[in-house]
């Protein structure tokens, strides 16, 4: 008996959820794939992690994972953030699955707030953890109203909101969870990814699944689907750019996190995608602070 | 460097959990609390955990209270996460609270009612003075004096008192005889039927419902409630197994039931009568049952009048009453958000730069 089989998690079914629940979730996934961008309600279960901590993404993963899968889990783009470590450990225990930090090697990538920098390939599934699936919720608190607005494709309110932003700030001031239009039919929240990642949603080769456990909704973007970020002709959609480049690997085209170095305003910028950055360093790319402790090889998890 | 602390590996997590276990145990010189002691001596905590955890098992609820270090919403979460993995055999027969073996039954509507007022084990009319004798060990309280005459059985319900005159709306079984709505299997849908509403309220957070009920009393959607009856006691649970085809008794539940009647005037289409709000909990959760009954009545208002107060608003009440959902989502703010924050930082810096440029240009123009 391997040590893993004696942990409390192993008293449960393969991948934690019972088979009937998995089937119910798979049906919702199929429905969501058939109507890209549509929020399919599903009988979300109580999970052993709190709502808001990835219960939707975990249920999606649990419904589609099998022993042959290779699982990667990131939070804020990084494999070593605490909640990503915790969720990855969960599936390593309940699903006997191989885990990886390598984006290309993974068959299922569960993510919170980022899309990996390395383009995804056909056959991969990207599972998003979604806190609020309703893109219109900030404008209209009632679910009965927003469902009707989607049904009638009544998205004027969203454009008015963007216009108000332009009128107030001189630009569309939305930075994360920037609203998208899927296949010119459904307005969709991309989850709180930075708008930097929005272009990666468009015409992606991989299957993109979005799970909101607390709000009990699943939605999806099938491969090669048009996903357009809303904008105006005179105020076109634009993504974040940095004047700095990554202090560790020198990347100029990745999403950067800001690291405060001291209390005198000294700071450095590093890739948010930890695997992307490590791989570049392995290839010999060097940033201006390449010897910083953040570049140290992260502590490896004990072998399963 | 503080920033690095948000990136933590396996070792950090398991060390934190070991520390948690150590804190839970407290001073090892003090004897460890047994789950049986929690079950017997913190029984109202156990009752609340069973009620809002939607799972009737005193031993598991006691274990959850112990494991959660007395944090009841955390214990409720543990119960829910366990419950959700249980197989389902079907629905029990509706329990008959009229046939309850009553330990406590009071009515505020009449001075005396058939069966009488039975106070039972209650905090009511205690003086809230700390009893320092409890801090000393080993005190076994004297047994309460037994009544000379046994209680009438079954104890008449408040509904039966009103029956003759038709003053109180009667319990009309819903026309739809299908399976009741089950929130643990289906997402919330609106407009919510009464089965869905009552289930959500039964699972809902006691504090949230208490405050909603209180807001209603203070005029935010007042239903003019009067406590027609509260009863506490044991009821039998019957189940019809497919292979038998007839009902067998499979156990007993302790329940608290509350009927609130609305003293406000009813509509004119039917003969005027009192309307009801209903509250039901596992165990002895009287504050919760009363709050639930008031909120149930307030939500029924929305079927007839325009929603004017939070307690009448289905979406507001039902979407926000669950403390497992609420606690998780509020506390998820502890998770790292630095990717989002970086995006906000960028925007604010850019807007500030533009603002200062504009100010400088204005100043220059003025000079």
């Amino acid at each position: 008996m391997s040590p893993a089989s004696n942990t409390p998690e192993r008293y449960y079914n393969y991948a934690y959820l019972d088979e009937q629940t998995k089937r119910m979730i798979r049906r919702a996934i199929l429905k969501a794939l058939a109507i890209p961008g549509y929020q399919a309600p599903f009988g979300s279960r109580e999970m052993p992690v709190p709502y808001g901590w990835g219960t939707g993404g975990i249920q999606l993963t649990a419904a589609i994972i099998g022993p042959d899968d290779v699982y990667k889990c990131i939070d804020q783009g990084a494999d070593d953030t605490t909640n990503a470590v915790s969720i990855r450990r969960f599936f390593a225990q309940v699903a006997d699955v191989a885990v990886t930090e390598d984006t290309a090697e993974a068959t299922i990538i569960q993510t919170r707030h980022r899309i990996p920098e390395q383009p995804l390939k056909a056959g991969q599934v990207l599972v998003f953890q979604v806190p609020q699936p309703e893109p219109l919720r900030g404008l209209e608190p009632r679910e009965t109203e927003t469902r009707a607005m989607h049904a009638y494709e009544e998205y004027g309110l969203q454009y008015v909101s963007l216009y108000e932003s332009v009128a107030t700030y001189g630009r569309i001031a939305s930075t994360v969870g920037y609203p998208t239009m899927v296949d010119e039919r459904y307005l969709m929240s991309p989850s709180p990814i930075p708008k930097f990642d929005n272009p990666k949603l468009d015409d992606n080769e991989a299957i993109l699944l979005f799970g909101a456990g607390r709000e009990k909704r699943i939605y999806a973007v099938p491969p090669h689907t048009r996903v357009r970020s809303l904008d105006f002709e005179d105020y076109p959609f634009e993504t974040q750019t940095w004047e700095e480049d990554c202090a560790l690997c020198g990347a100029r085209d990745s999403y950067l996190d800001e690291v405060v170095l001291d209390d005198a305003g000294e700071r450095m910028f590093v890739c948010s995608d930890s695997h992307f950055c490590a791989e570049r360093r392995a290839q010999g790319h060097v940033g201006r602070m390449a010897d910083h402790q953040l570049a140290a090889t992260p502590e490896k998890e004990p072998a399963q | 460097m503080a920033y690095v602390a948000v990136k933590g590996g396996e070792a950090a997590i398991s060390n934190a959990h070991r520390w948690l276990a150590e804190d839970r145990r407290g001073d090892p010189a003090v004897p460890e609390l047994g789950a049986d002691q929690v079950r017997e001596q913190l029984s109202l905590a156990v009752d609340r955990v069973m009620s809002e955890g939607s799972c009737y098992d005193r031993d598991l609820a006691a274990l959850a209270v112990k494991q959660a270090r007395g944090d009841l919403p955390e214990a409720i979460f543990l119960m829910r996460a366990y419950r959700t993995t249980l197989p389902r055999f079907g629905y029990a027969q509706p329990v008959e609270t009229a046939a309850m073996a009553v330990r406590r039954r009071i009515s505020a509507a009449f001075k005396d009612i058939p069966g009488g007022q039975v106070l039972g084990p209650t905090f009511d009319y205690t003086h809230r003075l700390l009893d320092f004798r409890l801090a000393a060990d080993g005190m076994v309280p004297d047994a309460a004096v037994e009544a000379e005459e046994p209680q009438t059985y079954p104890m008449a319900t408040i509904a039966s008192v009103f029956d003759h005159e038709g003053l109180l709306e009667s319990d009309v079984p819903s026309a739809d005889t299908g399976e009741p709505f089950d929130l643990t299997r289906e997402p919330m849908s609106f407009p919510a039927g009464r089965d869905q509403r009552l289930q959500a309220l039964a699972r809902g957070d006691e504090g949230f419902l208490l405050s909603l009920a209180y807001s209603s009393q203070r005029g935010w959607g007042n239903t003019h409630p009067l406590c027609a009856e509260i009863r506490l006691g044991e009821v039998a649970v019957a189940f019809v197994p497919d292979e038998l085809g007839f009902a067998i008794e499979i156990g007993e539940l302790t329940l608290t039931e509350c009927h609130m009647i609305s003293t406000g005037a009813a509509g004119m289409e039917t003969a005027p009568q009192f309307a009801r709000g209903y509250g039901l909990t596992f165990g002895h959760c009287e504050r919760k049952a009363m709050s639930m009954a008031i909120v149930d009545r307030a939500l029924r208002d929305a079927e007839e009048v325009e929603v004017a107060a939070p307690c009448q608003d289905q979406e507001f009440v039902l979407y926000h009453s669950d403390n497992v959902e609420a606690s998780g989502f509020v506390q998820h703010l502890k998770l790292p958000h630095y990717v989002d924050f970086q995006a906000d930082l960028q925007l604010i810096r850019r807007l500030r730069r533009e603002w200062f440029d504009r100010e400088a240009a204005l100043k220059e123009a003025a000079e």
Side-chain angles (χ1 to χ4, degrees):
Chain A
M1 207 184 255
S2 69
S5 60
N6 204 23
T7 54
E9 284 83 354
R10 297 310 309 273
Y11 296 121
Y12 297 92
N13 190 38
Y14 177 80
Y16 185 77
L17 293 175
D18 59 280
E19 294 304 316
Q20 268 190 318
T21 298
K22 288 186 197 172
R23 190 182 306 160
M24 174 273 293
I25 294 171
R26 286 184 205 125
R27 282 182 182 143
I29 293 172
L30 290 175
K31 184 172 185 179
L33 283 167
I35 319 172
Y38 168 76
Q39 300 167 50
F42 80 112
S44 175
R45 299 293 192 255
E46 260 126 358
M47 298 301 285
V49 302
Y51 286 117
W53 296 55
T55 54
I58 292 173
Q59 288 181 78
L60 284 174
T61 298
I64 61 172
I65 204 165
D68 299 334
D69 275 306
V70 180
Y71 180 66
K72 172 182 165 83
C73 187
I74 52 174
D75 186 351
Q76 313 292 299
D79 297 273
D80 60 352
T81 32
T82 36
N83 205 42
V85 169
S86 160
I87 293 172
R88 188 166 60 241
R89 285 280 293 169
F90 178 73
F91 281 110
Q93 282 172 1
V94 301
D96 292 323
V97 78
V99 295
T100 184
E101 296 190 358
D102 189 335
T103 303
E105 191 188 41
T107 56
I108 300 173
I109 303 172
Q110 185 170 330
T111 180
R112 175 171 173 264
H113 294 191
R114 275 311 309 278
I115 296 175
E117 306 291 1
Q118 182 176 337
L120 301 176
K121 292 282 168 220
Q124 290 186 301
V125 181
L126 185 59
V127 172
F128 292 78
Q129 300 171 199
V130 181
Q132 177 49 262
E134 179 50 71
L136 297 164
R137 183 64 68 236
L139 307 170
E140 168 54 60
R142 282 181 197 283
E143 176 69 9
T144 40
E145 291 293 325
T146 51
R147 280 183 79 79
M149 289 160 79
H150 285 294
Y152 292 118
E153 214 175 331
E154 178 54 68
Y155 297 136
L157 196 61
Q158 178 68 72
Y159 279 104
V160 169
S161 155
L162 295 181
Y163 169 75
E164 285 175 345
S165 177
V166 169
T168 310
Y169 302 109
R171 61 168 38 79
I172 297 173
S174 177
T175 55
V176 294
Y178 190 103
T180 58
M181 183 63 75
V182 180
D183 202 25
E184 297 305 322
R185 174 58 184 85
Y186 280 100
L187 186 69
M188 183 189 87
S189 165
S191 88
I193 57 172
K195 63 181 177 179
F196 179 90
D197 286 338
N198 273 25
K200 299 174 188 165
L201 295 165
D202 184 38
D203 195 28
N204 201 307
E205 283 185 28
I207 294 175
L208 311 179
L209 299 180
F210 297 79
R214 190 177 42 81
E215 299 284 344
K216 301 174 175 57
R217 296 289 185 275
I218 287 171
Y219 54 100
V221 176
H224 301 296
T225 303
R226 173 100 176 92
V227 180
R228 178 172 62 85
S229 300
L230 300 191
D231 61 358
F232 299 109
E233 273 174 23
D234 46 347
Y235 286 91
F237 173 75
E238 52 180 20
T239 60
Q240 286 102 345
T241 53
W242 281 260
E243 287 160 17
E244 303 80 2
D245 42 16
C246 173
L248 302 180
C249 77
R252 314 192 69 124
D253 54 355
S254 78
Y255 191 89
L256 300 180
D257 287 333
E258 184 172 335
V259 180
V260 179
L261 295 175
D262 57 26
D263 53 9
E266 195 60 31
R267 52 202 72 219
M268 69 191 277
F269 288 82
V270 297
C271 290
S272 125
D273 186 335
S274 56
H275 175 256
F276 175 79
C277 192
E279 205 163 59
R280 276 179 54 84
R281 276 178 275 136
Q283 290 162 1
H285 295 279
V286 177
R288 70 181 172 92
M289 294 177 73
D291 54 350
H292 189 273
Q293 66 174 94
L294 277 178
T297 319
E299 137 207 20
K300 285 288 171 212
E301 288 178 47
Q304 300 299 307
Chain B
M1 196 169 67
Y3 177 84
V4 182
V6 296
K7 299 202 168 199
E10 179 65 17
I13 294 177
S14 60
N15 284 338
H17 293 172
R18 228 177 288 167
W19 195 347
L20 172 74
E22 194 184 323
D23 269 8
R24 181 191 57 70
R25 178 60 182 87
D27 183 353
V30 176
E32 180 163 1
L33 185 64
D36 56 341
Q37 291 172 310
V38 175
R39 186 191 66 219
E40 296 303 315
Q41 297 175 39
L42 298 179
S43 55
L44 297 184
V46 167
D47 286 350
R48 181 172 173 198
V49 170
M50 292 195 304
S51 249
E52 293 172 34
S54 299
C55 182
Y56 194 93
D57 188 315
R58 304 198 71 83
D59 290 304
L60 287 179
L63 172 62
V65 171
K66 175 178 171 172
Q67 187 179 331
R69 307 170 64 191
D71 179 342
L72 297 189
E74 179 68 24
I76 289 160
F77 182 15
L78 287 169
M79 281 297 266
R80 292 268 192 95
Y82 172 78
R83 176 200 193 278
T84 191
T85 66
L86 298 177
R88 294 160 69 86
F89 300 113
Y91 287 96
Q93 303 269 291
V95 293
E96 190 51 82
T97 52
M100 179 186 277
V102 167
R103 282 191 278 146
R104 167 169 168 78
R105 195 286 293 272
I106 54 165
S107 169
F110 297 102
K111 182 178 169 68
D112 200 7
I113 54 174
Q117 308 270 14
V118 181
L119 281 183
T122 177
F123 287 125
D124 296 348
Y125 316 110
T126 62
H127 296 149
R128 269 59 169 206
L129 304 171
L130 278 176
D131 184 352
F132 293 102
R133 289 172 304 175
L134 288 177
D137 296 333
M139 202 187 71
V140 178
D142 298 332
V145 183
E146 266 185 51
E148 284 167 15
E149 279 177 46
Q151 232 164 241
T152 54
Y153 181 85
M155 176 80 83
T157 63
I158 191 70
S160 67
V161 174
F162 282 108
D163 264 354
H164 320 289
E165 278 185 276
L167 288 172
L168 185 66
E169 64 173 350
S170 51
D171 282 323
V172 185
S174 92
D176 175 17
T177 50
E179 288 197 346
F181 192 94
D182 186 352
L183 273 177
T184 67
R185 302 277 134 166
E186 296 167 69
M188 207 74 92
S189 75
F190 294 96
R194 191 142 179 242
D195 50 352
Q196 182 185 339
R197 275 151 35 198
L198 286 172
Q199 187 191 10
L201 296 178
R203 288 159 60 88
D205 181 74
E206 176 177 316
F208 181 73
L209 296 185
L210 173 68
S211 294
L212 276 178
Y214 178 50
S215 73
S216 160
Q217 280 183 293
R218 287 195 64 259
W220 296 72
N222 203 341
T223 64
H224 307 276
L226 187 140
C227 186
E229 181 175 13
I230 292 172
R231 55 171 60 197
L232 159 73
E234 281 65 41
V235 297
V237 181
F239 183 75
V240 183
D242 283 341
E243 51 272 49
L244 288 183
F246 55 86
I248 53 168
E249 219 170 87
I250 54 168
E252 193 179 75
L253 299 175
T254 299
L255 295 177
T256 306
E257 184 187 49
C258 174
H259 287 278
M260 288 282 176
I261 59 177
S262 250
T263 54
M268 285 325 215
E269 283 168 27
T270 52
Q273 59 177 182
F274 295 121
R276 286 202 259 192
Y278 187 70
L280 186 74
T281 72
F282 285 154
H284 191 186
C285 301
E286 215 161 288
R287 189 188 298 117
K288 163 77 182 271
M290 294 177 76
S291 305
M292 176 176 168
I294 291 172
V295 176
D296 170 49
R297 177 69 190 89
L299 287 173
R300 295 183 63 199
D301 264 351
E303 293 166 356
E304 287 152 22
V305 299
E306 199 181 337
V307 169
C311 69
Q312 299 169 325
D313 189 324
Q314 287 194 0
E315 284 206 41
F316 182 84
V317 173
L318 302 187
Y319 264 131
H320 304 116
S321 59
D322 191 289
N323 58 22
V324 178
E325 289 176 4
S327 168
F329 198 54
V330 166
Q331 296 202 64
H332 104 282
L333 293 174
K334 289 183 281 195
L335 293 177
H337 282 81
Y338 50 78
V339 161
D340 323 34
F341 188 59
Q342 178 59 212
D344 289 340
L345 267 175
Q346 265 213 339
L347 177 69
I348 289 284
R349 282 185 182 137
R350 189 162 168 183
L351 292 176
R352 277 173 66 85
R353 207 161 47 232
E354 287 167 0
W355 187 86
F356 283 115
D357 288 350
R358 221 167 31 241
E359 288 294 299
L362 278 176
K363 207 170 161 195
E364 210 171 291
E367 285 163 4

